[in-house]
Amino acid sequence: MPHTILVVDDNDQNRVLFHDVLVISGFDVLLAENGEEAVHLAREHHPDLILMDIQMPVMNGLDAGKLLRSDPRTKDIGILALSCATTIDDKDDFFATGFDGYIDKPIDIRMLPNTIIKYLASVNRK
Amino acid sequence: MKIESPDLILIAEDSPTQREKLRHMLEMHGFRVESSANGKEALAALEGKRPLAVISDIVMPEMNGYELCRRIKGDHETQTIPVILLTSLSDPDDVIMGLECGADYFVTKPYNENFLLSRIQHILANSNQENEQGVRMGLEIFFRGKKYFINSDRLQILNLLLSTYETAIQNNQELANATEEMSVLNGQLEENMAEMDLKNQELFAVNAELEKQQKIVHEARIQAEEANRAKSDFLANMSHELRTPLNSVIGFSEVLVDEMFGQLNAKQHEYVNNILFSGRHLLNLINDILDLAKVEAGKLVLEPSTVKFREVIAGTLTMFQEKALKHNLRFGLELSADCDIELIADERKLKQIMFNLLSNAVKFTPDGGIIRVTAQRTSLSDMRAAGKYLQGERQPEAEDFVEITVEDSGIGIKREDIPKLFREFSQLDSPCNKEYKGTGLGLALTKRLVELHGGQVGVESEIGKRSRFFFAIPLLQEITATGS
Ligand SMILES: Nc1ncnc2c1ncn2[C@@H]1O[C@H](COP(=O)(O)OP(=O)(O)OP(=O)(O)O)[C@@H](O)[C@H]1O
Ligand SMILES: [Mg+2]
């Protein structure tokens, strides 16, 4: 059974790109436009991994991450931040919030499927 | 019998200058002068002569003035010769001693010329009468536990008392003069004070003005800093806004070039490749702007890790292999043995530094040229001694450095252009425009990244021949967050 990936990004084109590339790479893909939608979808579908943009309207990635971690239904889902932050402080924030890692923007879309496969494998081994 | 010499005055004075002064003064007034250096000489000079008067100093070697006077007055041959003693008369003892030795006049020292002359005039006027009828007194005086016998006649005593009196008057006059002078000076002082007051007030005003200016400057600086911060924030935000769609452009192009969703024909492939190339270039520019803005806002921090030096340097070179081939450029890499090290640095930024220098070298070197990268260890003192590094805002603190040089056989840089190089958006007029013109941010950022590491940059060039850009970063560097 294919893994389900929830992609959260406010940029329409990015969502399309992620969707198409991940689908063609064999994943099931859920899309959300902001943190709030992401929390709803995560509770409902319990994806295997969430790719979470940080700067978003309505609810940003960090707040969504906190909600997901505090909810027993979603607290075990892996979350990777999609970040263009380069300062240490911001990255500390990700980990403090309970993110499992981050992928620096600009994301090398060609490498993304591989990155995801590697990540899922490392989680399964545990 | 003595020869009367009514115009002769005998001087006894041991100081040659005083003696000459006195002689000169007297001669100017028509007297003949004979001088001697002490009492003894004066006595000898008196042999067979009868001068109008003897003027004698008191303190002299061999025989002092009192003794001389006593001898003159003790000898009936000479006792009528008037003796003028030059004394300070500052002490009652002087008066007593003077009386005791029988002196006729006292003139205070330093003497007032007119006063001395008036004494002599007085002697001249009275020289006929006073001599014979002197009445000897023979007085015994106890003063300060000492017994003095005064043998002077009344006239002598009177003269002496008059002298003291005159001296007192003279002193008084001098005092009055001094007081007058004082009051004049006082007046001047007051004037000066008033002037000072005025000056002070002026100064005060100037000072107030200065303080006002300083405040204005201070406020202007704060405003400038705020404006700068606003600019940096704006740039950072803009860059973010620009990068998001650009990431789409790049992402979609990559997917297309990879033919993930089906094959492209040659033309399509070429076009998409162009889109990808331009997109990446634009992204690089935006990243540079963002980094610069961040450095300026103090937001760019080092993310230090252990860096395998040789690998990183060699790695950046391979990024240019394709271009080198295309333009027939030869690459050389020479790392001295002691550079096979691991150092603590921000790997991504170190790569960025190398990338900027190498891309310039490639850009500004005509086809067929040579680009050499060398690295060696150096020390702060050697760097200072070489004097080829630019002074940054911060002084390096480390002692051991590794120095990396990127040298090309390209178009070179004019001497006068060198100071402009590391400024933002500065590009020199160059005929060489192989691929595209940049924005002139590469070196500005490079300098900042090196300085963020606690290092320094520098450049040497010979126009039309070569350029040599180098930078030194500390071998071991404390992990310090900058900004804030
Ligand atoms: N190796 C070199 N030889 C000759 N001139 C150089 C060399 N490197 C830099 N310059 C001159 O210094 C200028 C500034 O360089 P810098 O790297 O800052 O900007 P750029 O290369 O023009 O643009 P960017 O790096 O932002 O794409 C260049 O435009 C060029 O005139
Ligand atoms: Mg450049």
Side-chain angles (χ1 to χ4, degrees), chain B residues 402-444:
Chain B
V402 55
E403 178 181 75
I404 300 107
T405 307
V406 177
E407 182 175 337
D408 62 60
S409 62
I411 60 170
I413 300 150
K414 278 189 233 127
R415 181 176 294 272
E416 66 262 31
D417 285 336
I418 283 184
K420 297 185 212 155
L421 284 178
F422 293 92
R423 284 183 213 146
E424 291 100 338
F425 304 110
S426 79
Q427 288 182 298
L428 315 175
D429 298 331
S430 66
C432 207
N433 189 4
K434 251 185 247 169
E435 299 268 344
Y436 45 77
K437 268 204 173 324
T439 41
L441 285 173
L443 288 177

mmCIF file of all heavy atoms in Angstrom, chain B residues 402-444:
data_model
loop_
_atom_site.group_PDB
_atom_site.id
_atom_site.type_symbol
_atom_site.label_atom_id
_atom_site.label_comp_id
_atom_site.label_asym_id
_atom_site.label_seq_id
_atom_site.Cartn_x
_atom_site.Cartn_y
_atom_site.Cartn_z
ATOM 1 N N VAL B 402 44.426 30.078 7.518
ATOM 2 C CA VAL B 402 44.727 29.439 6.252
ATOM 3 C C VAL B 402 44.346 30.447 5.166
ATOM 4 O O VAL B 402 43.320 31.115 5.249
ATOM 5 C CB VAL B 402 43.997 28.082 6.101
ATOM 6 C CG1 VAL B 402 42.508 28.236 6.290
ATOM 7 C CG2 VAL B 402 44.320 27.466 4.758
ATOM 8 N N GLU B 403 45.280 30.583 4.214
ATOM 9 C CA GLU B 403 45.126 31.613 3.179
ATOM 10 C C GLU B 403 44.850 30.934 1.850
ATOM 11 O O GLU B 403 45.612 30.070 1.430
ATOM 12 C CB GLU B 403 46.419 32.418 3.107
ATOM 13 C CG GLU B 403 46.433 33.503 2.048
ATOM 14 C CD GLU B 403 47.776 34.228 2.036
ATOM 15 O OE1 GLU B 403 48.757 33.645 1.531
ATOM 16 O OE2 GLU B 403 47.850 35.338 2.558
ATOM 17 N N ILE B 404 43.756 31.325 1.213
ATOM 18 C CA ILE B 404 43.382 30.732 -0.071
ATOM 19 C C ILE B 404 43.457 31.827 -1.134
ATOM 20 O O ILE B 404 42.934 32.926 -0.940
ATOM 21 C CB ILE B 404 41.956 30.150 -0.031
ATOM 22 C CG1 ILE B 404 41.865 29.058 1.037
ATOM 23 C CG2 ILE B 404 41.568 29.573 -1.390
ATOM 24 C CD1 ILE B 404 41.119 29.453 2.255
ATOM 25 N N THR B 405 44.128 31.516 -2.228
ATOM 26 C CA THR B 405 44.297 32.488 -3.301
ATOM 27 C C THR B 405 43.703 31.952 -4.592
ATOM 28 O O THR B 405 43.933 30.793 -4.940
ATOM 29 C CB THR B 405 45.796 32.779 -3.529
ATOM 30 O OG1 THR B 405 46.378 33.135 -2.284
ATOM 31 C CG2 THR B 405 45.989 33.896 -4.534
ATOM 32 N N VAL B 406 42.917 32.780 -5.250
ATOM 33 C CA VAL B 406 42.394 32.420 -6.571
ATOM 34 C C VAL B 406 43.011 33.398 -7.565
ATOM 35 O O VAL B 406 42.753 34.590 -7.518
ATOM 36 C CB VAL B 406 40.855 32.519 -6.613
ATOM 37 C CG1 VAL B 406 40.350 32.206 -8.021
ATOM 38 C CG2 VAL B 406 40.227 31.583 -5.598
ATOM 39 N N GLU B 407 43.859 32.851 -8.410
ATOM 40 C CA GLU B 407 44.586 33.713 -9.342
ATOM 41 C C GLU B 407 44.191 33.384 -10.775
ATOM 42 O O GLU B 407 44.073 32.219 -11.134
ATOM 43 C CB GLU B 407 46.094 33.516 -9.154
ATOM 44 C CG GLU B 407 46.912 34.419 -10.058
ATOM 45 C CD GLU B 407 48.406 34.315 -9.789
ATOM 46 O OE1 GLU B 407 48.793 33.905 -8.680
ATOM 47 O OE2 GLU B 407 49.172 34.622 -10.712
ATOM 48 N N ASP B 408 43.964 34.404 -11.578
ATOM 49 C CA ASP B 408 43.624 34.140 -12.975
ATOM 50 C C ASP B 408 44.524 34.953 -13.896
ATOM 51 O O ASP B 408 45.138 35.937 -13.477
ATOM 52 C CB ASP B 408 42.143 34.473 -13.243
ATOM 53 C CG ASP B 408 41.816 35.935 -13.010
ATOM 54 O OD1 ASP B 408 42.419 36.796 -13.698
ATOM 55 O OD2 ASP B 408 40.972 36.241 -12.148
ATOM 56 N N SER B 409 44.588 34.528 -15.148
ATOM 57 C CA SER B 409 45.413 35.252 -16.124
ATOM 58 C C SER B 409 44.510 36.132 -16.976
ATOM 59 O O SER B 409 44.660 36.224 -18.177
ATOM 60 C CB SER B 409 46.169 34.249 -17.006
ATOM 61 O OG SER B 409 45.241 33.458 -17.732
ATOM 62 N N GLY B 410 43.548 36.770 -16.314
ATOM 63 C CA GLY B 410 42.503 37.490 -17.038
ATOM 64 C C GLY B 410 42.776 38.959 -17.277
ATOM 65 O O GLY B 410 43.926 39.414 -17.294
ATOM 66 N N ILE B 411 41.692 39.705 -17.383
ATOM 67 C CA ILE B 411 41.777 41.101 -17.829
ATOM 68 C C ILE B 411 42.369 42.037 -16.780
ATOM 69 O O ILE B 411 42.796 43.137 -17.082
ATOM 70 C CB ILE B 411 40.391 41.633 -18.246
ATOM 71 C CG1 ILE B 411 39.414 41.563 -17.066
ATOM 72 C CG2 ILE B 411 39.862 40.841 -19.424
ATOM 73 C CD1 ILE B 411 38.107 42.280 -17.315
ATOM 74 N N GLY B 412 42.370 41.602 -15.535
ATOM 75 C CA GLY B 412 42.957 42.427 -14.482
ATOM 76 C C GLY B 412 42.082 43.604 -14.093
ATOM 77 O O GLY B 412 41.012 43.837 -14.670
ATOM 78 N N ILE B 413 42.574 44.344 -13.105
ATOM 79 C CA ILE B 413 41.794 45.454 -12.555
ATOM 80 C C ILE B 413 42.703 46.660 -12.431
ATOM 81 O O ILE B 413 43.852 46.547 -11.999
ATOM 82 C CB ILE B 413 41.248 45.077 -11.162
ATOM 83 C CG1 ILE B 413 40.347 43.841 -11.269
ATOM 84 C CG2 ILE B 413 40.474 46.236 -10.551
ATOM 85 C CD1 ILE B 413 40.359 43.000 -10.036
ATOM 86 N N LYS B 414 42.189 47.815 -12.819
ATOM 87 C CA LYS B 414 42.975 49.047 -12.698
ATOM 88 C C LYS B 414 43.186 49.353 -11.227
ATOM 89 O O LYS B 414 42.292 49.165 -10.407
ATOM 90 C CB LYS B 414 42.235 50.212 -13.366
ATOM 91 C CG LYS B 414 42.437 50.243 -14.863
ATOM 92 C CD LYS B 414 41.862 51.558 -15.425
ATOM 93 C CE LYS B 414 40.896 51.297 -16.552
ATOM 94 N NZ LYS B 414 39.604 51.866 -16.484
ATOM 95 N N ARG B 415 44.373 49.887 -10.952
ATOM 96 C CA ARG B 415 44.721 50.183 -9.564
ATOM 97 C C ARG B 415 43.647 51.039 -8.874
ATOM 98 O O ARG B 415 43.233 50.781 -7.755
ATOM 99 C CB ARG B 415 46.068 50.909 -9.522
ATOM 100 C CG ARG B 415 46.560 51.261 -8.152
ATOM 101 C CD ARG B 415 47.933 51.873 -8.247
ATOM 102 N NE ARG B 415 48.910 50.900 -8.725
ATOM 103 C CZ ARG B 415 49.573 50.090 -7.916
ATOM 104 N NH1 ARG B 415 49.380 50.145 -6.627
ATOM 105 N NH2 ARG B 415 50.446 49.221 -8.394
ATOM 106 N N GLU B 416 43.177 52.053 -9.608
ATOM 107 C CA GLU B 416 42.239 52.986 -8.972
ATOM 108 C C GLU B 416 40.867 52.354 -8.745
ATOM 109 O O GLU B 416 40.050 52.883 -8.004
ATOM 110 C CB GLU B 416 42.113 54.280 -9.791
ATOM 111 C CG GLU B 416 41.487 54.100 -11.164
ATOM 112 C CD GLU B 416 42.544 54.010 -12.284
ATOM 113 O OE1 GLU B 416 43.653 53.501 -11.999
ATOM 114 O OE2 GLU B 416 42.241 54.439 -13.417
ATOM 115 N N ASP B 417 40.631 51.211 -9.410
ATOM 116 C CA ASP B 417 39.328 50.576 -9.244
ATOM 117 C C ASP B 417 39.287 49.629 -8.050
ATOM 118 O O ASP B 417 38.214 49.244 -7.586
ATOM 119 C CB ASP B 417 38.969 49.783 -10.508
ATOM 120 C CG ASP B 417 38.550 50.704 -11.639
ATOM 121 O OD1 ASP B 417 38.110 51.822 -11.317
ATOM 122 O OD2 ASP B 417 38.676 50.305 -12.803
ATOM 123 N N ILE B 418 40.478 49.275 -7.579
ATOM 124 C CA ILE B 418 40.538 48.252 -6.535
ATOM 125 C C ILE B 418 39.701 48.595 -5.290
ATOM 126 O O ILE B 418 38.987 47.737 -4.781
ATOM 127 C CB ILE B 418 42.020 47.920 -6.202
ATOM 128 C CG1 ILE B 418 42.540 47.031 -7.337
ATOM 129 C CG2 ILE B 418 42.161 47.232 -4.855
ATOM 130 C CD1 ILE B 418 43.928 46.510 -7.173
ATOM 131 N N PRO B 419 39.740 49.855 -4.822
ATOM 132 C CA PRO B 419 38.938 50.145 -3.620
ATOM 133 C C PRO B 419 37.434 49.969 -3.825
ATOM 134 O O PRO B 419 36.706 49.791 -2.877
ATOM 135 C CB PRO B 419 39.277 51.613 -3.325
ATOM 136 C CG PRO B 419 40.538 51.884 -4.050
ATOM 137 C CD PRO B 419 40.535 50.998 -5.247
ATOM 138 N N LYS B 420 36.977 50.024 -5.071
ATOM 139 C CA LYS B 420 35.537 49.937 -5.322
ATOM 140 C C LYS B 420 35.029 48.503 -5.315
ATOM 141 O O LYS B 420 33.840 48.257 -5.153
ATOM 142 C CB LYS B 420 35.210 50.519 -6.707
ATOM 143 C CG LYS B 420 35.508 51.983 -6.878
ATOM 144 C CD LYS B 420 35.015 52.416 -8.253
ATOM 145 C CE LYS B 420 35.873 53.526 -8.832
ATOM 146 N NZ LYS B 420 35.831 53.558 -10.285
ATOM 147 N N LEU B 421 35.975 47.581 -5.535
ATOM 148 C CA LEU B 421 35.576 46.205 -5.829
ATOM 149 C C LEU B 421 34.593 45.592 -4.850
ATOM 150 O O LEU B 421 33.635 44.939 -5.244
ATOM 151 C CB LEU B 421 36.815 45.313 -5.877
ATOM 152 C CG LEU B 421 37.664 45.431 -7.130
ATOM 153 C CD1 LEU B 421 38.865 44.539 -7.011
ATOM 154 C CD2 LEU B 421 36.825 45.046 -8.331
ATOM 155 N N PHE B 422 34.873 45.801 -3.565
ATOM 156 C CA PHE B 422 34.112 45.049 -2.574
ATOM 157 C C PHE B 422 32.827 45.755 -2.146
ATOM 158 O O PHE B 422 32.185 45.351 -1.206
ATOM 159 C CB PHE B 422 35.001 44.744 -1.366
ATOM 160 C CG PHE B 422 36.107 43.784 -1.708
ATOM 161 C CD1 PHE B 422 37.347 44.246 -2.120
ATOM 162 C CD2 PHE B 422 35.892 42.411 -1.646
ATOM 163 C CE1 PHE B 422 38.361 43.362 -2.449
ATOM 164 C CE2 PHE B 422 36.900 41.520 -1.973
ATOM 165 C CZ PHE B 422 38.140 41.997 -2.378
ATOM 166 N N ARG B 423 32.511 46.854 -2.820
ATOM 167 C CA ARG B 423 31.251 47.526 -2.510
ATOM 168 C C ARG B 423 30.096 46.858 -3.237
ATOM 169 O O ARG B 423 30.268 46.302 -4.311
ATOM 170 C CB ARG B 423 31.315 48.990 -2.948
ATOM 171 C CG ARG B 423 32.129 49.819 -2.010
ATOM 172 C CD ARG B 423 32.081 51.266 -2.454
ATOM 173 N NE ARG B 423 33.351 51.902 -2.141
ATOM 174 C CZ ARG B 423 33.915 52.840 -2.867
ATOM 175 N NH1 ARG B 423 33.338 53.250 -3.970
ATOM 176 N NH2 ARG B 423 35.055 53.374 -2.506
ATOM 177 N N GLU B 424 28.911 46.979 -2.635
ATOM 178 C CA GLU B 424 27.746 46.391 -3.287
ATOM 179 C C GLU B 424 27.490 47.070 -4.629
ATOM 180 O O GLU B 424 27.702 48.272 -4.774
ATOM 181 C CB GLU B 424 26.472 46.584 -2.438
ATOM 182 C CG GLU B 424 26.443 45.793 -1.167
ATOM 183 C CD GLU B 424 26.820 46.671 0.007
ATOM 184 O OE1 GLU B 424 27.481 47.695 -0.222
ATOM 185 O OE2 GLU B 424 26.453 46.317 1.129
ATOM 186 N N PHE B 425 26.992 46.303 -5.522
ATOM 187 C CA PHE B 425 26.565 46.778 -6.840
ATOM 188 C C PHE B 425 27.654 47.509 -7.606
ATOM 189 O O PHE B 425 27.378 48.378 -8.413
ATOM 190 C CB PHE B 425 25.337 47.704 -6.714
ATOM 191 C CG PHE B 425 24.193 47.052 -6.009
ATOM 192 C CD1 PHE B 425 23.812 47.454 -4.741
ATOM 193 C CD2 PHE B 425 23.512 46.000 -6.607
ATOM 194 C CE1 PHE B 425 22.763 46.832 -4.084
ATOM 195 C CE2 PHE B 425 22.463 45.376 -5.948
ATOM 196 C CZ PHE B 425 22.087 45.797 -4.684
ATOM 197 N N SER B 426 28.915 47.214 -7.279
ATOM 198 C CA SER B 426 29.956 47.901 -8.034
ATOM 199 C C SER B 426 30.490 46.962 -9.104
ATOM 200 O O SER B 426 30.918 45.860 -8.830
ATOM 201 C CB SER B 426 31.082 48.356 -7.108
ATOM 202 O OG SER B 426 31.921 47.286 -6.803
ATOM 203 N N GLN B 427 30.395 47.430 -10.314
ATOM 204 C CA GLN B 427 30.936 46.670 -11.428
ATOM 205 C C GLN B 427 31.799 47.599 -12.244
ATOM 206 O O GLN B 427 31.476 48.757 -12.440
ATOM 207 C CB GLN B 427 29.808 46.134 -12.300
ATOM 208 C CG GLN B 427 29.055 45.019 -11.621
ATOM 209 C CD GLN B 427 27.976 44.473 -12.514
ATOM 210 O OE1 GLN B 427 27.059 45.194 -12.881
ATOM 211 N NE2 GLN B 427 28.090 43.222 -12.878
ATOM 212 N N LEU B 428 32.910 47.073 -12.661
ATOM 213 C CA LEU B 428 33.820 47.901 -13.429
ATOM 214 C C LEU B 428 33.469 47.753 -14.907
ATOM 215 O O LEU B 428 32.900 46.759 -15.321
ATOM 216 C CB LEU B 428 35.244 47.454 -13.174
ATOM 217 C CG LEU B 428 35.552 47.215 -11.697
ATOM 218 C CD1 LEU B 428 36.941 46.648 -11.542
ATOM 219 C CD2 LEU B 428 35.411 48.506 -10.910
ATOM 220 N N ASP B 429 33.811 48.783 -15.660
ATOM 221 C CA ASP B 429 33.602 48.667 -17.105
ATOM 222 C C ASP B 429 34.529 47.585 -17.615
ATOM 223 O O ASP B 429 35.740 47.699 -17.494
ATOM 224 C CB ASP B 429 33.958 49.989 -17.800
ATOM 225 C CG ASP B 429 33.051 51.098 -17.312
ATOM 226 O OD1 ASP B 429 31.906 50.778 -16.940
ATOM 227 O OD2 ASP B 429 33.493 52.259 -17.285
ATOM 228 N N SER B 430 33.963 46.560 -18.127
ATOM 229 C CA SER B 430 34.845 45.544 -18.687
ATOM 230 C C SER B 430 34.293 45.093 -20.014
ATOM 231 O O SER B 430 33.085 44.978 -20.196
ATOM 232 C CB SER B 430 34.969 44.370 -17.721
ATOM 233 O OG SER B 430 33.728 43.734 -17.602
ATOM 234 N N PRO B 431 35.197 44.879 -20.946
ATOM 235 C CA PRO B 431 34.764 44.470 -22.273
ATOM 236 C C PRO B 431 34.308 43.011 -22.263
ATOM 237 O O PRO B 431 33.652 42.545 -23.167
ATOM 238 C CB PRO B 431 36.040 44.626 -23.099
ATOM 239 C CG PRO B 431 37.160 44.463 -22.105
ATOM 240 C CD PRO B 431 36.641 44.914 -20.788
ATOM 241 N N CYS B 432 34.684 42.331 -21.174
ATOM 242 C CA CYS B 432 34.480 40.898 -21.113
ATOM 243 C C CYS B 432 33.078 40.600 -20.621
ATOM 244 O O CYS B 432 32.730 40.924 -19.500
ATOM 245 C CB CYS B 432 35.503 40.315 -20.150
ATOM 246 S SG CYS B 432 35.914 38.633 -20.488
ATOM 247 N N ASN B 433 32.271 40.052 -21.453
ATOM 248 C CA ASN B 433 30.896 39.798 -21.032
ATOM 249 C C ASN B 433 30.461 38.465 -21.598
ATOM 250 O O ASN B 433 29.594 38.368 -22.446
ATOM 251 C CB ASN B 433 30.006 40.931 -21.536
ATOM 252 C CG ASN B 433 28.616 40.844 -20.948
ATOM 253 O OD1 ASN B 433 28.341 39.980 -20.118
ATOM 254 N ND2 ASN B 433 27.750 41.725 -21.393
ATOM 255 N N LYS B 434 31.097 37.465 -21.082
ATOM 256 C CA LYS B 434 30.948 36.145 -21.673
ATOM 257 C C LYS B 434 29.531 35.611 -21.615
ATOM 258 O O LYS B 434 28.919 35.316 -22.620
ATOM 259 C CB LYS B 434 31.856 35.181 -20.936
ATOM 260 C CG LYS B 434 33.026 34.762 -21.806
ATOM 261 C CD LYS B 434 33.819 33.722 -21.088
ATOM 262 C CE LYS B 434 35.177 34.266 -20.737
ATOM 263 N NZ LYS B 434 35.877 33.385 -19.814
ATOM 264 N N GLU B 435 29.028 35.492 -20.422
ATOM 265 C CA GLU B 435 27.727 34.850 -20.257
ATOM 266 C C GLU B 435 26.669 35.892 -19.977
ATOM 267 O O GLU B 435 25.722 36.070 -20.699
ATOM 268 C CB GLU B 435 27.776 33.883 -19.076
ATOM 269 C CG GLU B 435 28.787 32.769 -19.254
ATOM 270 C CD GLU B 435 28.157 31.548 -19.888
ATOM 271 O OE1 GLU B 435 26.915 31.462 -19.893
ATOM 272 O OE2 GLU B 435 28.898 30.682 -20.387
ATOM 273 N N TYR B 436 26.873 36.571 -18.884
ATOM 274 C CA TYR B 436 25.933 37.592 -18.472
ATOM 275 C C TYR B 436 26.662 38.499 -17.516
ATOM 276 O O TYR B 436 27.622 38.115 -16.888
ATOM 277 C CB TYR B 436 24.740 36.968 -17.753
ATOM 278 C CG TYR B 436 25.135 35.924 -16.743
ATOM 279 C CD1 TYR B 436 25.651 36.276 -15.502
ATOM 280 C CD2 TYR B 436 25.031 34.566 -17.045
ATOM 281 C CE1 TYR B 436 26.029 35.320 -14.584
ATOM 282 C CE2 TYR B 436 25.411 33.603 -16.132
ATOM 283 C CZ TYR B 436 25.907 33.975 -14.900
ATOM 284 O OH TYR B 436 26.276 33.025 -14.005
ATOM 285 N N LYS B 437 26.174 39.687 -17.432
ATOM 286 C CA LYS B 437 26.712 40.570 -16.407
ATOM 287 C C LYS B 437 26.069 40.181 -15.091
ATOM 288 O O LYS B 437 24.912 39.805 -15.047
ATOM 289 C CB LYS B 437 26.368 42.018 -16.743
ATOM 290 C CG LYS B 437 27.428 42.705 -17.557
ATOM 291 C CD LYS B 437 27.305 44.189 -17.329
ATOM 292 C CE LYS B 437 28.371 45.047 -17.928
ATOM 293 N NZ LYS B 437 29.703 44.648 -17.996
ATOM 294 N N GLY B 438 26.834 40.287 -14.037
ATOM 295 C CA GLY B 438 26.265 39.990 -12.732
ATOM 296 C C GLY B 438 25.620 41.234 -12.178
ATOM 297 O O GLY B 438 25.250 42.146 -12.902
ATOM 298 N N THR B 439 25.514 41.267 -10.855
ATOM 299 C CA THR B 439 24.919 42.445 -10.230
ATOM 300 C C THR B 439 25.953 43.234 -9.449
ATOM 301 O O THR B 439 25.670 44.304 -8.944
ATOM 302 C CB THR B 439 23.817 42.045 -9.235
ATOM 303 O OG1 THR B 439 24.278 40.918 -8.519
ATOM 304 C CG2 THR B 439 22.543 41.754 -9.942
ATOM 305 N N GLY B 440 27.136 42.685 -9.326
ATOM 306 C CA GLY B 440 28.155 43.359 -8.535
ATOM 307 C C GLY B 440 27.974 43.134 -7.052
ATOM 308 O O GLY B 440 28.342 43.964 -6.236
ATOM 309 N N LEU B 441 27.411 41.982 -6.724
ATOM 310 C CA LEU B 441 27.214 41.670 -5.306
ATOM 311 C C LEU B 441 28.202 40.626 -4.808
ATOM 312 O O LEU B 441 28.459 40.507 -3.615
ATOM 313 C CB LEU B 441 25.797 41.135 -5.074
ATOM 314 C CG LEU B 441 24.685 42.166 -5.113
ATOM 315 C CD1 LEU B 441 23.337 41.473 -5.043
ATOM 316 C CD2 LEU B 441 24.843 43.135 -3.960
ATOM 317 N N GLY B 442 28.759 39.863 -5.752
ATOM 318 C CA GLY B 442 29.590 38.722 -5.388
ATOM 319 C C GLY B 442 30.685 39.062 -4.399
ATOM 320 O O GLY B 442 30.805 38.440 -3.342
ATOM 321 N N LEU B 443 31.481 40.078 -4.714
ATOM 322 C CA LEU B 443 32.627 40.388 -3.859
ATOM 323 C C LEU B 443 32.208 41.027 -2.542
ATOM 324 O O LEU B 443 32.813 40.773 -1.505
ATOM 325 C CB LEU B 443 33.612 41.288 -4.609
ATOM 326 C CG LEU B 443 34.401 40.585 -5.719
ATOM 327 C CD1 LEU B 443 35.292 41.570 -6.453
ATOM 328 C CD2 LEU B 443 35.228 39.438 -5.152
ATOM 329 N N ALA B 444 31.152 41.854 -2.612
ATOM 330 C CA ALA B 444 30.665 42.471 -1.375
ATOM 331 C C ALA B 444 30.272 41.390 -0.383
ATOM 332 O O ALA B 444 30.620 41.439 0.800
ATOM 333 C CB ALA B 444 29.484 43.381 -1.675
#
